[in-house]
Amino acid sequence: MTERSDEDDLFDKLINYHDDEPARNETLMKKTKFTFLEPNIDITTNFSLKLPKTKKNYKLPAFSDTNAYLLAVVEQPQQCRMSGYGEKDRRPIDPAPIVELIVLNCDQNHLVEDELESPFYVVHVSLWTEDMQTQLDLIEGSAPYSMRFLIGSLVSSPTLLKNLQGQKGNYFAFPDLSVRMTGRYRLHFSLVHLAVNKVITEVFSDPFTVYSAKNYPGMKESSEISKHLAKQGLKLTVRTQIRGKK
C-alpha cells in the first residue's frame, strides 16, 4: 500500500474544501501548519514588483525547462469590515483581490502564454499576520467554538483576459473572502499545479486592515483594472461610486 505524503493531504484539503465543514479538522491543523514554502525561497520578497532574469535566479518547475512562474497581485486588498461568527454575517474584503500569473521564458527573456499548463493551475489563499511570520487558521478562546479566521472561496481557477494594455494573461479573483477578527493582516497566495500536486510559486499581498462595524469607513469605488476585467467576464462586484458607512 502506498504511503500518503503531506503533499497528498494538502492536495485533498484544497480540492475537498467546504466552507461549512465543521471544525473536525482542528486536531490535524494544530499538528501541521501548511505554510506552502519551498526550500531557498524568500517569501518576504515582494515578487509583484520584479520579474525573474535568468534560470539561475529562480528554480524552474519540474514540468518546464525554460519557463519561470510568478504571481503578481494586481488588485491589492485594502480594508474589510469584520464578519460575525454566524455564516450569514459575511463582509467581503474590499477591493476583491486579483492575482495574475506571470510566465517568463528564461531562454528568450520575454513573457509567454502558458496555454498548455494553465488548465491545471489553481491559486489558494490563506491569512497571515502582517509580519508574514504566522499563518492564521483557527480562532480559539474568544469565539463560542473553534472557527476559521478567513472564510469564503479560498481557491480560484484561472480566467484568460486582457489587461488595460491589451495583453493577455491568466487572472485569479477572490471576491468572496471575509475575516472574522479585527486587526492588520496579509493574504498569502500559492499557485498549485494540480497535475503534479506541487506549489509552484507564491506571493504575499500588501497589509490590509479589518475594522469593527463602528470604525469601518465604507466600501470604495472599484478600480479601473477591476472594471476592465469584470467587463470581460471576471466574477467581481463593480461599484461605480463610493459607498459610505451606514
Side-chain angles (χ1 to χ4, degrees), residues 8 67 125 199 206 233:
D8 293 328
N67 293 341
V125 62
V199 174
D206 291 343

Side-chain angles (χ1 to χ4, degrees), residues 80-82 182 210-218 245-246:
C80 181
R81 176 179 167 181
M82 182 187 75
T182 58
V210 179
Y211 296 91
S212 64
K214 180 180 179 180
N215 297 323
Y216 184 57
K245 61 185 293 187
K246 294 182 179 180

Side-chain angles (χ1 to χ4, degrees), residues 59-197:
K59 178 182 176 182
L60 302 184
F63 57 84
S64 175
D65 295 327
T66 59
N67 293 341
Y69 295 77
L70 289 178
L71 293 178
V73 184
V74 297
E75 183 74 285
Q76 295 281 356
Q78 298 180 24
Q79 60 181 9
C80 181
R81 176 179 167 181
M82 182 187 75
S83 295
Y85 293 140
E87 291 299 325
K88 294 183 179 181
D89 185 13
R90 298 278 299 279
R91 310 289 176 169
I93 294 176
D94 179 45
I98 304 174
V99 178
E100 180 184 5
L101 172 60
I102 296 175
V103 184
L104 180 76
N105 185 298
C106 294
D107 287 341
Q108 302 177 15
N109 196 30
H110 66 80
L111 299 180
V112 297
E113 295 180 29
D114 195 12
E115 296 180 357
L116 293 178
E117 297 295 336
S118 59
F120 299 103
Y121 297 133
V122 295
V123 171
H124 177 267
V125 62
S126 55
L127 187 70
W128 287 62
T129 53
E130 184 180 5
D131 61 7
M132 299 177 287
Q133 298 301 309
T134 306
Q135 180 178 344
L136 302 172
D137 292 321
L138 298 176
I139 302 173
E140 297 178 343
S142 59
Y145 49 89
S146 296
M147 308 180 73
R148 294 184 178 89
F149 263 93
L150 184 67
I151 53 177
S153 300
L154 306 185
V155 177
S156 178
S157 300
T159 304
L160 183 62
L161 304 169
K162 292 182 178 180
N163 61 15
L164 293 172
Q165 291 73 42
Q167 299 169 328
K168 291 183 179 180
N170 283 298
Y171 293 87
F172 303 81
F174 294 87
D176 187 36
L177 297 179
S178 303
V179 183
R180 281 187 165 129
M181 294 288 287
T182 58
R184 292 275 289 174
Y185 305 99
R186 291 180 191 261
L187 295 176
H188 179 249
F189 302 96
S190 302
L191 178 69
V192 180
H193 193 294
L194 298 178
V196 298
N197 191 16

